[in-house]
Amino acid sequence: MTADASDSPADLDSLAREWRAALAAAGDEEAVEEWRRSVLGRSGALTGVLRGLSALPADQRRATGQAANALKRDLEADLEARQEELRAAALASQLAEGAVDVTLPGRRRRRGGLHPVTQTLQEILDAFTRMGFATVEGPEVELDDYNFTRLRIPEDHPARDMWDTFWLDEDVDGEQPLLLRTHTSPMQIRYLDAHEPPVRIAVPGRCYRYEATDATHEWMMTQVELLAVDEGVSLADLKGTLLEFARQLFGVERRVLLRHSYFPFVEPGVEVAVDCFACPGAETGCAVCRGSGWLEILGAGMVHPEVLAASGYDPGRYTGFAAGMGVERIAMLRHGIEDIRYFYSNDLRFLRQFQGV
Ligand code: PHE
């Protein structure tokens, strides 16, 4: 874009066209600034024309000077307009990028919910907490000693068959076989060993059994163990505690039934049932109690004196009760769930039914 003062007004016209085209082609702020420097700047082409005016013959000076000055004003205005245009375009594209279509429907946030077994577990623990039981937990990988021997289930005793066991290949100091606990009862021993009476604990936790699964058996399940040891604790306390528990979980009308049963670590041992909450009583065809009128919910009994003595308690002075319940079984009864395997098959169609329960 060179020019000098010898350019006639006609030449200036064609230069002006050239400059305007260049300005229109400047696509961003930088290019526009570059254009400004090269045309209107101190050593710009048009500035050069104005400077050279004095060298022109007098007859040309006036006309060329007027034309060049008018052109300068025009180009300055064009420059400003172009800058404004570019700013507006930049703003428009910024707005378009961040555009929010407020007419689009919102995206629903899926809220999670507690697993039905967790819900029932929390209710069970709440009930026992209200009755003064502290919640404590123990290891899922357990020593043979705590899971069996100290519970009066010695090696090779047929009672071991009551709990099919996952054994671990590892062992501790080469002696004690390790296993996945088959019940929460080992925490009775761990707790008694480490504490003085009075004892009142509820022990929630996962347990594992090496058995084929079917509608009522899973290889993993959740239990809650109950243990109370003090002076003067009797079977009546066990029954009263479990009655209150049954009423909190299954309704205030409930009754409980204790029938004799066998567990090596209690004497006497009982099986506890609640009367059916789904039918007026032993109704044939009742899907919950299947006509029996009673729902077995747990095993229990008075802590065996030998168990107490082995933990250093004087069984002449202290007595206690223990109970162990399957949380899945209780959840199944409460919700009318027919197959325990639903709980852990991760089917959202099943699990969503318990959201917001
Ligand atoms: N631990 C027993 C079981 O899992 C249940 C139980 C606990 C029985 C406490 C009596 C006392 O079968």
Side-chain angles (χ1 to χ4, degrees):
M1 277 176 237
T2 51
D4 62 51
S6 65
D7 290 326
S8 67
D11 294 334
L12 213 49
D13 276 352
S14 86
L15 280 171
R17 267 197 301 281
E18 213 179 283
W19 291 335
R20 287 202 167 96
L23 179 60
D28 56 31
E29 238 178 277
E30 236 173 85
V32 168
E33 174 57 17
E34 177 55 38
W35 178 91
R36 190 196 61 76
R37 252 181 278 132
S38 71
V39 178
L40 301 173
R42 244 193 297 149
S43 43
L46 182 56
T47 313
V49 172
L50 289 165
R51 275 211 195 107
L53 284 173
S54 56
L56 287 180
D59 61 327
Q60 285 176 34
R61 203 180 298 158
R62 191 179 157 82
T64 308
Q66 274 176 353
N69 273 310
L71 179 60
K72 187 179 180 202
R73 278 192 301 277
D74 283 357
L75 289 179
E76 277 167 354
D78 289 352
L79 171 67
E80 222 169 278
R82 181 68 186 142
Q83 280 168 335
E84 184 50 43
E85 212 171 271
L86 285 175
R87 268 196 293 274
L91 182 62
S93 88
Q94 239 171 44
L95 287 175
E97 248 170 60
V100 175
D101 182 351
V102 294
T103 65
L104 273 179
R107 271 174 231 143
R108 183 184 292 274
R109 277 241 207 131
R110 265 244 160 83
R111 290 177 64 204
L114 291 178
H115 190 279
V117 171
T118 304
Q119 291 179 24
T120 294
L121 175 61
Q122 287 185 348
E123 285 182 53
I124 292 171
L125 293 175
D126 283 351
F128 290 128
T129 299
R130 283 191 282 268
M131 289 187 265
F133 289 81
T135 299
V136 299
E137 290 179 280
E140 291 178 25
V141 172
E142 191 49 285
L143 296 167
D144 178 293
D145 221 25
Y146 292 122
N147 196 83
F148 288 128
T149 312
R150 294 278 305 274
L151 289 166
R152 302 184 70 254
I153 314 165
E155 217 178 313
D156 302 323
H157 191 280
R160 287 211 176 189
D161 297 346
M162 291 167 73
W163 296 274
D164 293 307
T165 307
F166 285 110
W167 295 95
L168 297 171
D169 291 337
E170 325 292 319
D171 55 21
V172 172
D173 58 46
E175 279 179 47
Q176 285 251 359
L178 282 174
L179 48 79
L180 296 182
R181 69 177 170 195
T182 59
H183 49 181
T184 42
S185 298
M187 257 314 265
Q188 289 187 32
I189 309 302
R190 286 180 176 275
Y191 198 86
L192 289 174
D193 280 356
H195 296 83
E196 298 289 315
V199 166
R200 273 180 171 201
I201 54 168
V203 186
R206 296 261 199 260
C207 305
Y208 303 84
R209 295 198 187 167
Y210 184 46
E211 22 181 69
T213 63
D214 63 27
T216 54
H217 297 85
E218 258 290 12
W219 58 268
M220 178 193 77
M221 57 161 168
T222 315
Q223 283 195 342
V224 173
E225 190 86 5
L226 211 58
L227 177 67
V229 179
D230 201 353
E231 284 181 50
V233 173
S234 73
L235 193 66
D237 296 315
L238 171 63
K239 186 169 181 180
T241 302
L242 294 178
L243 177 61
E244 177 57 24
F245 163 73
R247 290 181 168 178
Q248 289 195 23
L249 258 92
F250 294 101
V252 289
E253 323 260 85
R254 297 286 65 80
R255 292 175 297 146
V256 292
L257 176 68
L258 272 56
R259 286 181 284 211
H260 177 261
S261 182
Y262 171 69
F263 301 96
F265 38 95
V266 288
E267 179 57 39
V270 292
E271 212 168 69
V272 180
V274 296
D275 61 331
C276 184
F277 56 87
C279 72
E283 201 161 82
T284 32
C286 172
V288 176
C289 69
R290 301 190 193 287
S292 76
W294 293 99
L295 312 168
E296 265 169 36
I297 55 167
L298 55 89
M302 299 305 291
V303 180
H304 199 287
E306 287 178 13
V307 169
L308 290 175
S311 288
Y313 288 49
D314 175 3
R317 183 170 168 202
Y318 294 107
T319 50
F321 67 73
M325 64 193 76
V327 179
E328 285 81 0
R329 161 129 182 102
I330 292 174
M332 287 168 78
L333 288 171
R334 298 180 74 212
H335 297 297
I337 298 163
E338 298 196 331
D339 196 316
I340 194 172
R341 290 168 294 193
Y342 285 134
F343 286 125
Y344 302 113
S345 54
N346 279 334
D347 187 333
L348 287 175
R349 292 170 305 176
F350 171 75
L351 294 172
R352 286 215 178 100
Q353 295 177 58
F354 302 93
Q355 259 177 272
V357 170

